Amino acid sequence: MPNFISLVDLLPLIPELILFLTLVVAMLADLFVPSNRRNDVLVSVSLGGIVLTMLAELQLYGAGYTGFYGTVVADNYSILLELVYLLIGLMTILLSRHYITENEMNFGEYYILLLSALIGMMLMSSSLELLVIFIGLEIMSISSYILVGMKRKVPESGEAALKYLLLGAFSTGFLLYGISLLYGATGSTYLPDMLQQLRLGAVETPLALAGIALLTIGLSFKVAIVPFHMWTPDVYSGAPTPVTGFMSAAAKAAGFAIMIRILLVGIPLEQVEGWETILGWLAMLTMTIGNLVALQQQNVKRMLAYSSIAHAGYMMVAVAVGTTAAIGSVLFYALAYAVVSTGAFGILAIRNRGRILETYEDLHGYARTNPMLALGMSLMMLSLIGLPLTGGFVGKLRIFGAALEADWILLTVVAVLNSALSVYYYLRVISCMYLKAGEETSAVLETPPRLASFGVGLTVFATLYLGIFPDDFLLLINESVRSLL
């Protein structure tokens, strides 16, 4: 009689298990390490665990292990995405150490919840079973709800957490109901079996169409696609700034990862008449509304929140196109945007003249007091615009090119116009830092925290590397897409 599971089934989950053990060690450290050393120990444990997990991911690359009857895989697609999540998690921890101390957030659960969210992202990216994907998504979401409300003494943080919880639960209902309808139409929640049944004609049944629609709505909530974006500005502005960067980077990349896995690989959308057009219109609405509202913002975090909606629209262009080149382009763009978003919010989390940067006025004279950080923020804004020598340029070029190759002319034109529209509010950040005088007329140089400076340096290096030497990553992405298809 065969065993229900064996040790071989655990091979594709080795990175998740290492990160889980790191989480357990962090919990024990939070309980037993003296308070004067606790934060430093938690940072060291978390960073060490993430590095070990990344090394384990690299060892699994190309092995193609599967476990638990094929429901969990360690293919090149999942490994590449998990490395992205881990990199963003590492940068977030570096950028958080000073912030949680300055804002009275010295809670050990901060690091534990970050690790827990990473485990959820990794689990849902490496699964071919909709119920396991759902479990991973909920692990990530519940951890994120609590992280958003970590500033316990700030009413806006609690309000943001409550809004995120309520709308997140609402979207979860859509997602779970969509999964149940697809199970009713196909008799399975295992993606390869579902795909086979849908291709045999089940995709044309009302039950399957309703399931696909509800699943799309649930995933659109998670990545902030218009009109399912309402939670984003309030949550992003109310959450602790490093958490905002983590959500806009890693969580958004994870959302698009499962959207690609389910909608572009697990469901034959080419057999559903008009579905690609619907996705195209969602992309255009998301880009346009995100950019138009971002133009009106005076709070920099809210501007970046609406900007993240617009960038979700750019990535949605590739989802609507759905070709192999488009899938590769959205993966590269998700990586480039994740790095830039983490860096931008990380810089905003560093105090200037004793206060956190929030409005455009707070940025006045920033180039005098923090010249290196101002230079880093300028690079992030230029990458978000999509100027050459940055990762954002290569990402947009590949997405627009994939859309043109597939004859999506109107969608490409709208995307280019929206990209041009965003130039105003991104350059406004740079002009405030360099052309406007701050409260102090003298050049007062401030020294940012070392770990935060290292984290910002990593994001700057990654942004330039992706823009100047993108070929290595493009090769890895092409290999991951081949393993996915």
Side-chain angles (χ1 to χ4, degrees):
M1 182 176 179
N3 294 326
F4 180 65
I5 61 170
S6 64
L7 291 177
V8 178
D9 290 308
L10 297 177
L11 287 177
L13 291 177
I14 286 176
E16 286 87 345
L17 292 173
I18 293 175
L19 206 57
F20 178 74
L21 290 176
T22 303
L23 185 151
V24 173
V25 172
M27 291 177 66
L28 294 174
D30 186 38
L31 287 173
F32 298 111
V33 173
S35 57
N36 61 335
R37 297 177 51 227
R38 186 177 301 152
N39 275 333
D40 292 333
V41 171
L42 287 171
V43 169
S44 301
V45 168
S46 301
L47 291 177
I50 288 176
V51 171
L52 287 176
T53 307
M54 295 176 79
L55 292 175
E57 295 281 9
L58 293 174
Q59 290 297 316
L60 289 176
Y61 189 82
Y65 291 123
T66 62
F68 298 95
Y69 307 101
T71 59
V72 178
V73 298
D75 56 7
N76 292 347
Y77 176 78
S78 63
I79 290 173
L80 179 64
L81 286 165
E82 288 169 16
L83 285 171
V84 173
Y85 309 151
L86 292 168
L87 177 63
I88 299 305
L90 186 146
M91 292 177 177
T92 301
I93 291 172
L94 291 173
L95 294 165
S96 300
R97 173 65 181 87
H98 69 97
Y99 185 90
I100 65 173
T101 302
E102 295 168 354
N103 290 271
E104 299 180 4
M105 289 169 50
N106 286 314
F107 314 121
E109 54 264 37
Y110 177 83
Y111 300 99
I112 295 166
L113 289 167
L114 274 177
L115 296 173
S116 176
L118 286 173
I119 292 172
M121 295 174 193
M122 294 167 65
L123 186 62
M124 67 185 187
S125 297
S126 60
S127 178
L128 298 179
E129 167 65 49
L130 284 179
L131 293 180
V132 178
I133 291 174
F134 174 76
I135 291 170
L137 184 62
E138 287 308 293
I139 293 173
M140 179 194 76
S141 298
I142 293 171
S143 302
S144 300
Y145 301 152
I146 305 171
L147 282 170
V148 168
M150 286 293 285
K151 295 174 72 172
R152 300 176 183 177
K153 297 181 180 181
V154 179
E156 290 80 7
S157 182
E159 180 184 348
L162 183 59
K163 287 181 179 179
Y164 194 22
L165 171 63
L166 294 176
L167 288 173
F170 187 62
S171 68
T172 296
F174 278 102
L175 193 66
L176 200 55
Y177 196 32
I179 292 173
S180 66
L181 291 181
L182 283 172
Y183 175 76
T186 63
S188 177
T189 53
Y190 181 51
L191 285 175
D193 290 347
M194 279 180 50
L195 179 61
Q196 183 179 3
Q197 292 298 319
L198 291 172
R199 281 180 172 165
L200 290 175
V203 72
E204 299 174 358
T205 62
L207 199 63
L209 291 174
I212 294 170
L214 291 174
L215 204 62
T216 304
I217 290 172
L219 293 175
S220 297
F221 265 106
K222 299 301 181 183
V223 296
I225 299 297
V226 172
F228 314 108
H229 66 291
M230 299 82 68
W231 58 272
T232 310
D234 292 334
V235 171
Y236 279 24
S237 59
T241 305
V243 174
T244 305
F246 179 74
M247 290 170 54
S248 67
K252 192 177 289 290
F256 274 102
I258 60 170
M259 184 176 283
I260 291 171
R261 174 86 79 179
I262 295 174
L263 294 184
L264 298 187
V265 180
I267 296 175
L269 291 180
E270 67 275 2
Q271 296 182 22
V272 183
E273 185 177 355
W275 199 255
E276 293 177 346
T277 304
I278 293 173
L279 295 178
W281 278 105
L282 286 177
M284 286 192 283
L285 282 173
T286 304
M287 288 184 289
T288 305
I289 292 176
N291 279 315
L292 288 177
V293 183
L295 286 170
Q296 306 170 25
Q297 302 305 309
Q298 298 302 317
N299 183 290
V300 179
K301 283 181 70 175
R302 288 186 72 86
M303 180 274 286
L304 289 175
Y306 282 106
S307 163
S308 76
I309 295 172
H311 286 279
Y314 299 139
M315 287 185 267
M316 199 66 186
V317 170
V319 175
V321 174
T323 62
T324 302
I327 294 174
S329 68
V330 75
L331 292 179
F332 186 91
Y333 196 92
L335 170 60
Y337 176 75
V339 169
V340 170
S341 182
T342 304
F345 282 108
I347 293 171
L348 292 179
I350 299 173
R351 290 182 180 272
N352 179 52
R353 304 188 190 98
R355 64 171 182 263
I356 296 294
L357 301 171
E358 292 184 354
T359 66
Y360 285 104
E361 290 184 359
D362 293 336
L363 291 172
H364 290 181
Y366 191 57
R368 292 187 176 185
T369 54
N370 280 297
M372 298 306 296
L373 292 180
L375 186 61
M377 179 63 91
S378 300
L379 177 65
M380 302 304 161
M381 296 300 106
L382 295 177
S383 183
L384 290 172
I385 292 172
L387 292 187
L389 302 183
T390 64
F393 170 76
V394 179
K396 285 186 177 180
L397 184 65
R398 288 184 62 81
I399 285 182
F400 299 164
L404 278 177
E405 287 178 7
D407 293 329
W408 287 75
I409 307 300
L410 177 61
L411 188 57
T412 306
V413 170
V414 173
V416 171
L417 290 176
N418 271 282
S419 187
L421 184 64
S422 68
V423 171
Y424 170 77
Y425 57 82
Y426 290 133
L427 288 184
R428 184 181 178 187
V429 172
I430 298 175
S431 69
C432 286
M433 292 190 296
Y434 285 93
L435 303 181
K436 300 292 180 68
E439 294 177 358
E440 302 173 6
T441 56
S442 61
V444 180
L445 298 181
E446 298 187 6
T447 304
R450 290 183 180 179
L451 280 180
S453 299
F454 182 65
V456 172
L458 280 179
T459 62
V460 168
F461 172 78
T463 301
L464 289 173
Y465 192 88
L466 289 173
I468 300 173
F469 306 106
D471 293 341
D472 293 337
F473 286 95
L474 293 175
L475 180 61
L476 291 174
I477 287 170
N478 289 335
E479 291 178 357
S480 70
V481 171
R482 282 195 294 270
S483 70
L484 179 67
L485 301 176

